[in-house]
Amino acid sequence: MNVVQRGRRTSSALAVYVIILVAFQVFLITVAVEAFVTDEEGLAWATAAVSVVVAAGAALFLRWLRP
Amino acid sequence: MSDEPVPVRPVWRHDFPYEAAAEDEVTRREFTRYLVLGAGAMAAGNVGIAVWTQLRSINTGEPRPIVALADVPVGETYLFRYPSDDDPAILLRLGDRDVVAFSQKCTHLGCVVFYESELERWHCPCHEGNFETRSGRVISGPPPRPLGRIEVEPRDDGQIWALGRTV
């Protein structure tokens, strides 16, 4: 595998990671709504914190992605 | 002559050699950037939900008389509305001065629950959810959490008072 192909594969893998993180965000939204309905403030804040970390991770992956 | 590799075209490109005007316009990086923006928007939404959960005020109701104790025989139920007129609730008299009350909305999808005296449980007929008589805890079925409990007590004035609702 040459350098160009390897770079393209790595780039694709990073894109897949970001897709997985976005899917996880959708799950976190459902958890947040459930916390809202049951009035569990602790769960709502924990979900928000995880969600922000996941979004930051996705942004980090974007930095590594080839132009 | 150049040494750059010639891009390999898929076979279908030879069979159907058409070019769409915009097919090369979205790069992988652009696509991923939109995803990251979406993730950021969802994170902002999650923070908003947390703030809303923290700041909102829930109407748990004011103490008020519901019904005369003498009007509810032992083992019978009484339907009322609490804390607002939009909140159906049900009261059960278990003993002489032993009463319990719950929101009548099933915690699964909001169907109306009723008391099954022969099986001694609260029952939701929509999806066969069952709740314990005294605590409102889920016995079986799809409901994810207990029934909303309403604190009630019989007082010396002969009335059953609702004192407030727990979420």
Side-chain angles (χ1 to χ4, degrees):
Chain A
M1 188 187 298
N2 62 33
V3 176
V4 175
Q5 285 174 322
R6 197 180 309 141
R8 193 174 295 141
R9 277 198 169 190
T10 306
S11 204
S12 296
L14 287 175
V16 170
Y17 272 128
V18 173
I19 290 170
I20 291 170
L21 291 180
V22 171
F24 188 51
Q25 288 278 27
V26 175
F27 166 72
L28 288 174
I29 285 277
T30 64
V31 175
V33 171
E34 178 71 14
F36 176 78
V37 170
T38 57
D39 198 39
E40 294 185 47
E41 295 163 6
L43 180 61
W45 281 113
T47 307
V50 173
S51 183
V52 169
V53 170
V54 168
L60 210 60
F61 278 132
L62 182 63
R63 273 181 68 91
W64 287 342
L65 204 63
R66 290 186 333 140
Chain B
M1 212 169 144
S2 172
D3 290 337
E4 286 185 18
V6 178
V8 179
R9 292 166 67 89
V11 175
W12 66 268
R13 280 283 191 195
H14 295 288
D15 296 337
F16 303 99
Y18 72 93
E19 295 285 340
E23 68 180 14
D24 294 325
E25 286 186 2
V26 178
T27 64
R28 183 167 34 204
R29 187 178 179 81
E30 283 174 328
F31 172 68
T32 310
R33 192 171 66 223
Y34 287 127
L35 286 181
V36 170
L37 287 174
M42 283 189 268
N46 267 330
V47 172
I49 290 173
V51 171
W52 193 6
T53 306
Q54 181 82 44
L55 297 181
R56 71 175 169 163
S57 61
I58 295 175
N59 180 14
T60 55
E62 297 294 319
R64 67 174 169 87
I66 301 298
V67 64
L69 183 64
D71 290 344
V72 186
V74 174
E76 293 294 316
T77 57
Y78 176 79
L79 301 178
F80 62 106
R81 304 236 166 208
Y82 191 86
S84 74
D85 287 343
D86 296 327
D87 301 307
I90 187 166
L91 177 145
L92 171 65
R93 184 173 178 188
L94 292 165
D96 188 32
R97 296 182 67 81
D98 189 9
V99 287
V100 291
F102 295 96
S103 164
Q104 214 180 2
K105 286 182 184 171
C106 178
T107 52
H108 179 219
L109 290 175
C111 290
V112 171
V113 299
F114 65 92
Y115 185 62
E116 285 187 327
S117 54
E118 64 277 13
L119 295 172
E120 295 185 346
R121 68 184 186 187
W122 303 102
H123 179 69
C124 175
C126 289
H127 302 97
E128 303 298 323
N130 296 299
F131 304 86
E132 197 180 44
T133 304
R134 280 189 179 277
S135 65
R137 284 190 296 119
V138 179
I139 299 172
S140 62
R145 45 183 193 283
L147 290 173
R149 188 182 183 88
I150 297 168
E151 297 299 328
V152 287
E153 70 173 15
R155 289 188 172 174
D156 293 339
D157 60 1
Q159 298 284 318
I160 299 172
W161 281 66
L163 305 178
R165 181 184 158 171
T166 55
V167 178

